[in-house]
């Protein structure tokens, strides 16, 4: 409908006739859902172990000695405005929705690349490069599980390559068993929030007087387990840093640079 504002100007006002006021008020889940981040293939941040394996695969199969490894795809990055150094190679996981556009950009400028790509649409675009078929299901940092293959212009006249070594290596990393959380059996005198939730979900009712309660944040065995977990995390952090240092040193010895090249305004 139309209305007149305070300045005498005509405005269009749109009303939602599909839902009653009560329905709109009660649709809290729909309201919250609009603000939840969606899992898309453009927000898939590569697990470090997978990237390290792919980087080593490229080093073993392509001549990248003396080349600078560039990773232009990161939040806020602009691969088109980036000043690419001479004798560089792009090894990265780009937004899958514009993968064909990105490949054509690098082909036109003669920039070498080895890119993560969506497996199911690997043959969709007519691109003058090699399609490395892998199809490994990679679980990315945002939780999205995507079957992934690769595109590259460093394999000569090969149009399609299927390499079981690449698949098996990535699959072994992604299929590695995750650490299981410990399960505790509490004595009958201990009440947890899960106990109360179980009662409520089964249409039960419970009420406990404050004077009958004594608060404990954790059992003694849980406190010990937490200390051990913190020690393990600290050890893993130190190990990763040392490994990263060794990897950089290895890169220098092999002749290629292992770093992230960013645009000049990226950190501003």
């Amino acid at each position: 409908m139309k209305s007149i504002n305070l300045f005498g100007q005509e405005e269009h006002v749109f009303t939602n006739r599909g839902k009653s006021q009560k329905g709109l008020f009660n649709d809290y889940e729909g309201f919250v859902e609009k603000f939840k981040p969606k899992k898309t293939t453009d927000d898939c941040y590569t697990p470090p172990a997978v990237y390290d394996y792919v980087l080593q695969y490229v080093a073993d199969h392509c001549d990248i000695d003396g080349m600078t490894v560039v990773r232009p795809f990161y939040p806020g990055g602009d691969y088109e405005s980036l000043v690419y150094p001479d004798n560089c190679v792009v090894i990265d996981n780009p937004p899958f929705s514009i993968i064909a556009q990105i490949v054509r950009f690098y082909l036109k400028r003669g920039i070498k690349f080895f890119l993560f790509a969506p497996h199911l649409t690997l043959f969709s675009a007519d691109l003058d490069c090699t399609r490395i078929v892998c199809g490994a299901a990679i679980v990315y940092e945002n939780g999205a599980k995507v079957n992934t293959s690769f595109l590259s212009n460093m394999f000569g006249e090969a149009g399609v390559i299927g390499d079981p070594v690449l698949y098996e290596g990535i699959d072994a990393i992604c299929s590695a068993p995750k650490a299981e959380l410990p399960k505790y059996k509490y004595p009958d005198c201990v009440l947890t929030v899960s106990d109360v939730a179980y009662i409520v979900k089964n249409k039960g009712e419970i009420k406990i007087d404050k004077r009958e309660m004594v608060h404990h944040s954790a059992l003694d065995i849980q406190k010990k387990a937490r200390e051990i977990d913190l020690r393990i995390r600290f050890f893993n952090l130190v190990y990763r840093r040392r490994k990263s240092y060794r990897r950089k040193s290895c890169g220098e010895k092999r002749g290629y640079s292992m770093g992230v090249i960013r645009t000049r305004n990226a950190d501003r």
Side-chain angles (χ1 to χ4, degrees):
M1 65 180 181
K2 298 180 179 180
S3 65
I4 305 298
N5 62 16
L6 294 175
F7 302 99
Q9 298 172 331
E10 191 177 77
E11 293 182 339
H12 292 273
V13 179
F14 297 92
T15 58
N16 190 332
R17 301 181 182 275
K19 294 184 179 180
S20 64
Q21 290 297 321
K22 183 177 180 181
L24 291 172
F25 180 78
N26 292 331
D27 190 17
Y28 176 75
E29 292 183 358
F31 174 77
V32 173
E33 185 67 24
K34 292 190 295 184
F35 297 94
K36 290 183 178 179
K38 301 297 186 293
K39 294 180 180 179
T40 71
T41 53
D42 285 357
D43 299 314
C44 294
Y45 307 121
T46 315
V50 172
Y51 180 82
D52 289 345
Y53 182 84
V54 171
L55 180 63
Q56 188 60 53
Y57 176 87
V58 177
D60 292 341
H61 291 77
C62 304
D63 183 13
I64 61 173
D65 286 345
M67 301 184 70
T68 300
V69 176
V70 182
R71 298 193 67 180
F73 302 103
Y74 56 90
D78 184 356
Y79 77 96
E80 292 180 307
S81 300
L82 180 66
V83 179
Y84 292 86
D86 294 334
N87 197 30
C88 71
V89 56
V90 178
I91 304 176
D92 207 355
N93 180 17
F96 285 178
S97 63
I98 56 171
I99 184 67
Q101 171 186 324
I102 293 170
V103 168
R104 291 190 179 103
F105 176 86
Y106 289 137
L107 288 173
K108 184 177 181 180
R109 288 157 181 80
I111 299 173
K112 294 185 177 182
F113 61 84
F114 190 97
L115 301 175
F116 289 65
H119 174 70
L120 292 178
T121 57
L122 193 67
F123 290 177
S124 296
D126 184 12
L127 302 171
D128 185 19
C129 64
T130 305
R131 296 157 175 80
I132 299 94
V133 180
C134 174
I138 300 177
V139 180
Y140 290 90
E141 295 285 322
N142 66 348
K145 187 175 183 179
V146 184
N147 290 343
T148 306
S149 289
F150 302 89
L151 293 169
S152 178
N153 61 347
M154 296 190 292
F155 290 83
E157 295 301 318
V160 177
I161 293 176
D163 193 340
V165 174
L166 182 60
Y167 168 78
E168 291 171 359
I170 296 177
D171 184 64
I173 294 172
C174 297
S175 302
K178 304 297 186 298
E180 295 185 4
L181 295 175
K183 295 181 180 180
Y184 299 100
K185 184 177 182 181
Y186 298 96
D188 295 338
C189 60
V190 175
L191 181 71
T192 68
V193 66
S194 299
D195 295 332
V196 179
Y198 178 82
I199 295 172
V200 172
K201 289 179 180 179
N202 287 276
K203 300 182 179 180
E205 185 177 339
I206 183 173
K207 184 182 292 185
I208 302 174
D209 194 288
K210 293 179 181 178
R211 294 165 292 183
E212 299 178 0
M213 297 169 54
V214 177
H215 180 264
H216 286 281
S217 59
L219 299 177
D220 292 339
I221 189 173
Q222 290 175 314
K223 293 179 181 178
K224 292 180 181 179
R226 191 175 301 169
E227 292 177 1
I228 295 173
D229 180 62
L230 289 174
R231 292 175 184 173
I232 293 174
R233 291 186 183 183
F234 176 75
F235 172 80
N236 288 337
L237 177 62
V238 173
Y239 173 76
R240 286 198 299 270
R241 287 184 177 178
R242 290 179 177 176
K243 182 179 179 182
S244 176
Y245 175 78
R246 289 197 298 268
R247 190 168 66 246
K248 289 180 180 178
S249 300
C250 177
E252 293 172 359
K253 292 177 181 179
R254 292 181 63 91
Y256 58 85
S257 174
M258 309 265 300
V260 179
I261 306 298
R262 297 190 175 187
T263 55
R264 295 179 180 176
N265 299 323
D267 298 324
R268 296 181 182 178

